[in-house]
Amino acid sequence: MKIEPTLAQTYKNQDITGWWASVKLDGVRAVWDGEKFYTRKGHVIHTPDWFTEGMPDVPLDGELYISCDNFDEISGLVRMTDPRAFGEEWDLMWSWVTYRVFDLYGGEGSFTSRYDGVLGLIRPSHVKIVHQLPINDVDYMLNDAVSKGYEGIMLRDPTAPYHHKRTSTLLKYKKTQDMDGTVVGYEDGKGRNEGRVGALWVESDGSKYKVGTGLTDEVRTNPPPIGSIITVEYFEITKAGKPRFPVYKGMRAEQ
């Protein structure tokens, strides 16, 4: 199925007078078409039957989410192609997941009218609404969100229609940036990490760099396969074209 959700640009002091803000979740983007969940690239997301019971019959745009520091876990769940192999454990893992809705996918009218439609949804308890607040001090709102463990904030033009593309009417504002990269090699660990992976060698946009920060013991023991796509968080791009202070966030839900 062809899925084209609205994608955000980066906030760089654009005029956001009259806009709304919400927290930026560290989850996996998911579109509900009234029957199934789909990834941004149109792949079906396998969920337990109970997770879709009572879901609204209108298309929704949101994120599958566990908590602020569980991106790798939700990404892993979404990547499962044969969940039956995990039995009851798979069902239990989905009990931690919520679907956070922020828009009506492809809905008509302004974001204000679509958000009113979201607020009026009859939905199961694991479907939550991402609340929107008028922006008064955008930097204060960013710092408040980060202090609570969120990635940052999302800024929305309440008059905007639903765009099936990247648009200037939806902006992301974070203290750090992120990018995708391909795992091209491993560096052996030393000391307490001897016998495990010490760092990943990653390639993004033709630049090769090392990522060691953010790797848990589990990831060091069972690292992402060579050729897999991971998400890396960083502060800025150096003159050499490499991310400064890269931190491993997790594997992309779609490979």
Side-chain angles (χ1 to χ4, degrees):
M1 180 174 177
K2 188 175 183 180
I3 298 294
E4 294 180 309
T6 300
L7 301 177
Q9 295 183 10
T10 300
Y11 174 64
K12 297 179 180 178
N13 295 313
Q14 296 95 319
D15 183 5
I16 52 172
T17 303
W19 284 34
W20 296 351
S22 62
V23 294
K24 187 178 188 306
L25 302 172
D26 199 7
V28 172
R29 188 73 170 271
V31 168
W32 168 255
D33 74 342
E35 295 182 355
K36 296 178 181 179
F37 285 102
Y38 292 87
T39 66
R40 274 173 49 179
K41 293 186 177 180
H43 299 144
V44 173
I45 299 173
H46 300 283
T47 68
D49 290 341
W50 62 261
F51 197 85
T52 58
E53 289 179 0
M55 284 289 296
D57 59 1
V58 296
L60 304 175
D61 191 355
E63 286 198 18
L64 293 168
Y65 178 74
I66 295 179
S67 68
C68 293
D69 56 354
N70 287 102
F71 174 77
D72 224 12
E73 285 78 1
I74 185 60
S75 176
L77 270 179
V78 170
R79 290 198 308 272
M80 288 184 181
T81 56
D82 186 16
R84 293 170 298 179
F86 291 84
E88 293 182 359
E89 182 181 355
W90 176 69
D91 201 71
L92 175 62
M93 288 188 288
W94 272 97
S95 69
W96 306 334
V97 179
T98 57
Y99 183 49
R100 304 298 179 101
V101 182
F102 41 71
D103 207 342
L104 297 179
Y105 177 73
E108 297 182 354
S110 66
F111 178 71
T112 299
S113 63
R114 298 195 308 275
Y115 184 61
D116 284 342
V118 168
L119 292 175
L121 291 172
I122 298 175
R123 60 192 192 278
S125 60
H126 57 270
V127 176
K128 311 290 185 182
I129 306 301
V130 178
H131 294 291
Q132 308 290 330
L133 296 173
I135 297 173
N136 41 41
D137 184 332
V138 70
D139 290 315
Y140 174 84
M141 296 179 86
L142 171 65
N143 291 330
D144 182 61
V146 171
S147 72
K148 294 174 180 175
Y150 294 104
E151 279 195 308
I153 55 178
M154 301 298 296
L155 316 176
R156 296 177 184 274
D157 178 354
T159 68
Y162 192 96
H163 294 284
H164 292 278
K165 61 180 181 179
R166 195 171 297 279
T167 173
S168 60
T169 61
L170 175 64
L171 305 174
K172 56 184 176 181
Y173 188 23
K174 300 172 55 179
K175 291 194 172 184
T176 58
Q177 303 300 317
D178 52 49
M179 67 192 304
D180 291 337
T182 302
V183 177
V184 296
Y186 308 122
E187 182 171 289
D188 292 337
K190 299 177 181 179
R192 68 178 295 272
N193 291 320
E194 187 173 354
R196 303 187 297 180
V197 167
L200 305 174
W201 280 102
V202 180
E203 189 170 293
S204 301
D205 298 327
S207 294
K208 187 177 178 181
Y209 54 94
K210 188 167 61 175
V211 180
T213 304
L215 302 182
T216 63
D217 288 344
E218 181 180 355
V219 172
R220 293 182 188 279
T221 303
N222 299 290
I226 300 295
S228 61
I229 300 173
I230 66 171
T231 299
V232 176
E233 193 171 63
Y234 64 96
F235 281 93
E236 62 181 353
I237 297 295
T238 67
K239 292 181 179 179
K242 299 180 181 182
R244 188 184 302 278
F245 306 128
V247 178
Y248 174 81
K249 282 190 62 180
M251 288 182 63
R252 277 288 303 272
E254 297 172 296
Q255 296 294 316

